[in-house]
Structures are given as C-alpha cells and as structure tokens.
C-alpha cells in the first residue's frame, strides 16, 4: 500500500499515512489531532538499477571544479 507524507500547518509535524491510491487526496489529521494538514510532494525513483548512471570522471582534462578550471595558483 502506498505511503503519503503530510505536514501539519498547526504544529509543523511531518507524518506518513498508508492508504490506497484511490484515497490519496483524502485529508489526514496529524497525530496530535490537528486537521489543518497538507500533502507533501515526494520524489520517488521508479525503475532502473541503482548505480546505472555513468560515474563522473575523476580528474584531469578540461575544466571541472576550481583546480580543473585554472583558478588555483
């Protein structure tokens, strides 16, 4: 079951609620009992394998960072 993250506008607490996708937009009361909450947007990685992106090259060559860009003396 998906988990949705909410933040309480009254006390500032952040909490999660597990519920079916069909109820994803339903309001949720915070654990302290406040009703003024907002659902937070979550960035979720879907698909692909961890580490499948190419690793950045370690050094040398033309211009990355301070020392590669010629600002070191």
């Amino acid at each position: 079951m998906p988990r949705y993250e909410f933040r309480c506008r009254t006390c500032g607490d952040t909490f999660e609620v597990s519920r079916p996708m069909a109820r994803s937009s339903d309001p949720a009361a915070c654990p302290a009992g406040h009703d003024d909450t907002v659902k937070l947007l979550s960035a979720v990685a879907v698909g692909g394998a961890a580490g499948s992106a190419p690793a950045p090259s370690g050094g040398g060559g033309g211009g990355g960072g301070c020392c590669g860009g010629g600002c070191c003396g």
Side-chain angles (χ1 to χ4, degrees):
M1 187 169 308
R3 297 172 74 152
Y4 300 95
E5 192 173 21
F6 289 83
R7 184 175 44 86
C8 178
R9 292 180 180 162
T10 303
C11 67
D13 218 7
T14 299
F15 59 96
E16 291 183 348
V17 175
S18 295
R19 60 170 58 154
M21 290 175 113
R23 294 187 46 219
S24 67
S25 297
D26 289 358
C30 90
H34 306 120
D35 290 324
D36 189 13
T37 61
V38 61
K39 188 170 95 171
L40 302 176
L41 216 57
S42 298
V44 178
V46 178
S52 62
S57 62
C66 177
C67 292
C71 65
C72 297

